[in-house]
Amino acid sequence: GHGRYLLFYLLGGLLASLAHVFASVLIGDNLQIPSLGASGAIAGVLGGYLVLFPRRRITVLIFRIITQVNAIIAVGLWFVFQLVGGLGTLAGSSDGVAYAAHIGGFIAGLALIKLFTAGREPGYGRY
């Protein structure tokens, strides 16, 4: 429902922000990369979507070609890109993207979605 989704979204955003702060302190960046926006919360929604609908077809644009791939491919590749970008940040290259927030939000979504879908009808999420 709407209330569960809102709570899931906000909790994913909060955990994403905490991941960003933790990573910034860990690498000694002194919080120089801003964390403005909802990208960490949206990453949490992506993580939840991946758990619920891994085989659902998603329309994507690849090399100027519109095609459909399974969610596990599209979202999985997005997550790999976030990991690579995060490793670049660890190496001292900063493009101003809060990769740790994206990674943290995604992992939070993976971990929390089953809690938030508890009590739903039995076939929910089996597409």
Side-chain angles (χ1 to χ4, degrees):
H2 293 70
R4 281 187 191 193
Y5 176 77
L6 179 62
L7 186 59
F8 175 76
Y9 180 84
L10 293 174
L11 188 55
L14 176 66
L15 292 171
S17 295
L18 290 174
H20 172 71
V21 170
F22 177 75
S24 295
V25 170
L26 184 69
I27 64 174
D29 193 29
N30 207 12
L31 303 176
Q32 295 298 315
I33 299 173
S35 181
L36 308 167
S39 59
I42 293 168
V45 172
L46 285 172
Y49 186 88
L50 186 61
V51 170
L52 294 178
F53 309 108
R55 290 186 290 267
R56 173 82 49 97
R57 303 290 283 177
I58 299 174
T59 302
V60 296
L61 178 66
I62 301 174
F63 304 117
R64 296 193 288 176
I65 299 170
I66 297 174
T67 188
Q68 290 189 338
V69 296
N70 289 343
I72 195 151
I73 301 295
V75 177
L77 280 174
W78 173 85
F79 184 68
V80 168
F81 291 148
Q82 301 313 299
L83 289 173
V84 169
L87 290 174
T89 302
L90 287 175
S93 169
S94 177
D95 58 2
V97 177
Y99 291 107
H102 297 170
I103 295 166
F106 186 81
I107 292 170
L110 290 174
L112 293 173
I113 192 63
K114 290 298 184 178
L115 175 69
F116 280 86
T117 57
R120 306 299 285 183
E121 60 270 8
Y124 184 77
R126 293 190 184 171
Y127 294 91

